[in-house]
Amino acid sequence: MATSRVDETSREDVIPETPQLTCSDCGGTDVVRDNEKGELICATCGLVLSDHRIDTGPEWRAFTSDERDTRARTGAPSSYALHDKGLSTMIDWRDRDSKGSAFSAKQRAQIYRLRKWQIRTRVHSSLDRNLAQAMTEIDRLSSQLGLSAGLKEHAARMYRKLIAGRLWRSRSIDATAAAAVYAACRHRGSPRSIEEIAEHSRESKKKISAHYRMLVTKLKIRMPISSPENYVPRFISDLNLPMEVQQITMEILEQAKKVRGLVSGRDPRGLAAAAIYIASIMSDNRVTQRDISRISGVTEVTIRNRYKELVSKLELTMALYP
DNA sequence: AAGACGAAAGTGGTTGA
DNA sequence: TCAACAACTTTCGTCTT
């Protein structure tokens, strides 16, 4: 058998290099990736270049070539997002042995029994059937929402924890999967609202939020309260506003947090939207309330109410920013 | 004519008796 | 379980740019 010698340098190709990217807005070449949120961000002006990135790299890191050699392996990575973590064995359906010759009748019968039991134990236990369906759903939601592999794994792990503890009988799999995705996003501070998730789910917003509340209590997770700041970069980018606006928006929100009753109990998206509206006027990059409303998913009326509140309570002057 | 404004009525979720 | 309640939405007429 002829073997071709593998050139040492070709190993470098195992880990693909990120192609050089330039910012479409300011032309800067310093583009950083936020794998957690699946976003590509220009370090110069802060423009989000792409928020639906797929992380194509391996899930481990290697710093030296030795390390890379020892960590290299074949097969797909083990993943919580597959119902069997991608680790179970398959018995081939062909009645042939490893050399390709046919089985005897006795062997065939034996293999048939093995196959039958393998299938029964692997996917056909009710728990695994449940997981298999849930993982497909989590996978589907994650890709439609453009979530990173890390977030998807996080959601998958939460789902497993629920099922493993038998804390979760006779509940909608789709709603629980959606709840796990929402919980993962919130836990990692990556901004997705329940509405956005419900849009891609078969279940209603109401059902998903009910399942989410159960999930949080059952798993005893402490959720960081979602803050308006988390939504700002995405909204700013969707509205094609410059970095300047984001800075002013953040300053406004910073101030707002100091005033009692201005932030708590309010829809964080409405607050983010209102602050962006004010900042857009102050920096002379005016956008309409309707546009912000469309991007943020809150109504113009709410944006108006929040922005009136912010202006009066913070004693902001709507004059152009110095 | 588009955008901003605000009143009024309706909706769904939370809270506390 | 039910009523009270706050936040938010929908709708619509009016004012401003």
Side-chain angles (χ1 to χ4, degrees):
Chain A
M1 186 154 110
T3 52
S4 59
R5 196 177 162 279
V6 177
D7 186 7
E8 273 309 307
T9 54
S10 72
R11 285 189 181 280
E12 295 302 316
D13 298 335
V14 173
I15 298 170
E17 287 294 316
T18 317
Q20 189 58 49
L21 288 161
T22 48
C23 175
S24 55
D25 194 40
C26 71
T29 52
D30 195 6
V31 175
V32 292
R33 55 163 81 181
D34 183 340
N35 282 336
E36 191 86 334
K37 292 179 184 170
E39 292 171 345
L40 273 180
I41 301 159
C42 171
T44 319
C45 68
L47 181 74
V48 179
L49 295 173
S50 153
D51 57 358
H52 277 46
R53 274 193 65 257
I54 296 166
D55 186 358
T56 52
E59 82 281 17
W60 42 260
R61 293 198 299 168
F63 298 99
T64 65
S65 59
D66 273 359
E67 222 177 334
R68 197 144 53 223
D69 286 347
T70 53
R71 303 196 104 169
R73 48 115 206 280
T74 57
S78 141
S79 165
Y80 282 101
L82 293 171
H83 77 97
D84 53 9
K85 302 185 197 172
L87 290 175
S88 67
T89 333
M90 282 287 291
I91 298 177
D92 199 358
W93 55 271
R94 281 169 296 223
D95 287 328
R96 304 262 162 189
D97 65 15
S98 61
K99 294 202 180 65
S101 42
F103 289 144
S104 66
K106 199 174 160 191
Q107 280 174 318
R108 226 180 13 246
Q110 191 186 8
I111 291 296
Y112 172 77
R113 281 196 300 278
L114 275 173
R115 258 203 296 264
K116 187 165 74 183
W117 278 104
Q118 197 213 18
I119 287 165
R120 281 190 188 168
T121 54
R122 193 168 63 103
V123 200
H124 285 197
S125 81
S126 79
L127 191 132
D128 270 357
R129 262 206 314 274
N130 179 321
L131 277 180
Q133 200 184 326
M135 292 310 139
T136 316
E137 179 66 6
I138 288 177
D139 194 55
R140 195 182 65 79
L141 286 174
S142 304
S143 74
Q144 295 213 349
L145 291 161
L147 302 182
S148 68
L151 267 170
K152 189 174 87 183
E153 287 281 302
H154 195 48
R157 250 192 326 266
M158 287 197 196
Y159 193 96
R160 275 171 185 282
K161 233 171 155 181
L162 271 179
I163 297 291
R166 299 210 160 240
L167 300 165
W168 213 248
R169 309 290 289 277
S170 60
R171 302 215 161 265
S172 154
I173 292 173
D174 283 350
T176 314
V181 169
Y182 175 68
C185 288
R186 259 190 87 164
H187 206 216
R188 300 276 183 95
S190 180
R192 309 285 152 176
S193 60
I194 284 202
E195 283 90 345
E196 281 175 89
I197 292 170
E199 227 169 81
H200 299 289
S201 174
R202 276 177 287 270
E203 298 286 0
S204 66
K205 178 195 158 197
K206 190 175 164 183
K207 218 167 161 189
I208 295 171
S209 68
H211 278 66
Y212 164 74
R213 279 196 302 276
M214 302 280 273
L215 182 147
V216 171
T217 39
K218 293 276 185 188
L219 290 185
K220 302 189 177 73
I221 311 171
R222 285 196 40 130
M223 275 296 166
I225 33 159
S226 70
S227 68
E229 283 96 330
N230 287 339
Y231 289 96
V232 174
R234 194 153 56 92
F235 292 170
I236 293 274
S237 146
D238 286 350
L239 288 162
N240 292 319
L241 288 169
M243 188 59 181
E244 190 191 0
V245 183
Q246 180 165 333
Q247 279 163 2
I248 304 173
T249 305
M250 289 303 197
E251 278 169 38
I252 294 169
L253 290 173
E254 188 62 38
Q255 296 240 317
K257 275 198 284 190
K258 292 175 190 156
V259 184
R260 249 181 75 89
L262 205 55
V263 177
S264 69
R266 263 73 198 273
D267 185 344
R269 287 174 304 160
L271 228 30
I276 290 173
Y277 180 66
I278 298 172
S280 83
I281 293 170
M282 286 168 99
S283 66
D284 204 13
N285 289 292
R286 202 171 182 123
V287 277
T288 62
Q289 294 178 354
R290 185 187 301 172
D291 284 340
I292 301 184
S293 160
R294 209 186 55 242
I295 296 293
S296 64
V298 292
T299 60
E300 294 171 50
V301 180
T302 304
I303 296 175
R304 277 202 287 277
N305 291 339
R306 280 307 84 73
Y307 123 77
K308 287 282 165 203
E309 255 174 39
L310 284 172
V311 169
S312 67
K313 294 260 178 74
L314 297 180
E315 287 158 18
L316 293 170
T317 40
M318 297 288 280
L320 287 185
Y321 210 66

